[in-house]
Amino acid sequence: MLVLTRKVNQSIMIGDHIKIVVVDVRGDQVKLGIEAPKEISVHREEVYSEIQDENKRAVLTKDLDLKQLDELLKPAKPTEGGTVDKGDKGVNRL
Amino acid sequence: MVKIETTRFGSIEIDPEQIIEFPDGILGFEEYHRYVVVEPPGHIFSFLQSVDEPWLSFVVIMPELLRSDYYVDLEPQLVKELGFEDPKDGKVFAIVTIPEDIAEMTANLQAPIVINLKTKLAKQIVLTDGAYKIRHNVLAELQRNGFLAAKTASK
């Protein structure tokens, strides 16, 4: 791993398009500013690992009893053949 | 038709045309790329079943059933990755986690599965606007949305 020392307001570049600025340092907390093209998604690492963990938990549902689910959800079935009115969501929305 | 083995449904026949490709896999299962959506008639749940691993299967639900105003923005990168030409080709599912007490099952509305039914490409995306969480109680949301009678949801 490359380790760099930076002061407040100094930055690093990753490639030509991603800039990370040290905005503030207080005690054990560092505030970072990130400038990146829109198509680059930036998340706290925890978000990813939380989702990975949740997916792993989801897969553990092995012997799901569909009948039991049905019983629980009897009134929940959409009445008209399972269609849901999606409404007007605009052109670029799903 | 080809036959695949599944832990949940036993041996099932699928149309190879229906196989959906996740180029990045699903978070936590990055090495598995091919799935089919199994939709038992009359159920509000569907299943995202791996074509290659019998045990790898997710229970999924349409997020609109839990939040009628749910939507996913088709960001340019997603349009490119999944080859969207028309948003109508899109299908969105939320992964459901079902613990021992099935009344406590939750749906992940923060990281939905987006499928382009035309190109058969899919991806689990992460929404960052803070509107949705990783765990939404399914029964409570169904109840709020009017799909479930109030007395049924509380055990």
Side-chain angles (χ1 to χ4, degrees):
Chain A
M1 186 191 287
L2 171 67
V3 179
L4 299 169
T5 304
R6 301 274 70 192
K7 291 179 178 169
V8 170
N9 289 329
Q10 291 186 327
S11 50
I12 59 168
M13 293 295 297
I14 300 176
D16 295 334
H17 304 290
I18 301 172
K19 182 179 176 182
I20 297 174
V21 190
V22 179
V23 176
D24 195 12
V25 180
R26 276 185 202 177
D28 62 353
Q29 282 202 319
V30 182
K31 199 179 270 183
L32 300 173
I34 298 150
E35 281 174 33
K38 215 172 176 289
E39 66 268 20
I40 304 278
S41 50
V42 178
H43 304 290
R44 292 179 176 88
E45 188 189 10
E46 302 93 276
V47 175
Y48 264 97
S49 38
E50 273 174 42
I51 291 167
Q52 287 178 336
D53 290 348
E54 190 63 16
N55 285 346
K56 285 174 185 168
R57 262 195 293 276
V59 167
L60 291 180
T61 315
K62 278 203 182 96
D63 39 8
L64 172 66
D65 185 349
L66 274 178
K67 278 195 193 118
Q68 200 188 348
L69 259 188
D70 267 358
E71 206 52 45
L72 193 62
L73 295 168
K74 238 173 201 166
K77 286 183 196 166
T79 43
E80 295 295 318
T83 53
V84 179
D85 180 16
K86 289 194 170 191
D88 180 15
K89 293 190 174 185
V91 184
N92 284 320
R93 287 179 171 179
L94 291 178
Chain B
M1 302 294 274
V2 292
K3 201 180 260 189
I4 64 165
E5 295 303 321
T6 73
T7 306
R8 198 188 297 280
F9 304 104
S11 162
I12 60 171
E13 288 210 326
I14 58 159
D15 179 352
E17 295 282 306
Q18 298 304 316
I19 294 176
I20 289 160
E21 169 92 17
F22 285 72
D24 303 331
I26 290 176
L27 289 169
F29 300 94
E30 288 81 358
E31 61 273 51
Y32 305 105
H33 303 283
R34 303 193 306 155
Y35 291 83
V36 281
V37 178
V38 180
E39 297 178 281
H43 286 276
I44 64 167
F45 294 98
S46 301
F47 299 87
L48 194 58
Q49 169 70 49
S50 163
V51 173
D52 305 301
E53 289 294 337
W55 54 268
L56 184 53
S57 172
F58 297 91
V59 180
V60 295
I61 190 169
M62 289 196 294
E64 307 95 292
L65 290 173
L66 309 183
R67 292 287 175 96
S68 52
D69 58 352
Y70 191 90
Y71 66 84
V72 169
D73 270 320
L74 276 181
E75 302 281 354
Q77 180 65 16
L78 190 61
V79 169
K80 203 169 103 185
E81 275 181 59
L82 301 187
F84 272 111
E85 286 173 3
D86 187 343
K88 286 196 188 77
D89 298 327
K91 180 129 190 158
V92 182
F93 284 118
I95 294 179
V96 178
T97 303
I98 306 182
E100 211 157 300
D101 177 3
I102 63 173
E104 296 297 321
M105 66 183 149
T106 56
N108 183 348
L109 296 186
Q110 195 189 348
I113 303 281
V114 178
I115 303 172
N116 181 341
L117 294 173
K118 199 167 182 187
T119 60
K120 301 284 188 290
L121 291 172
K123 185 183 174 73
Q124 183 173 31
I125 63 166
V126 180
L127 304 179
T128 48
D129 59 6
Y132 301 109
K133 294 173 293 183
I134 292 177
R135 291 189 203 116
H136 289 257
N137 185 284
V138 171
L139 296 187
E141 300 283 1
L142 284 171
Q143 186 184 327
R144 196 195 333 249
N145 222 357
F147 282 117
L148 191 62
K151 55 183 176 189
T152 317
S154 51
K155 266 195 89 180

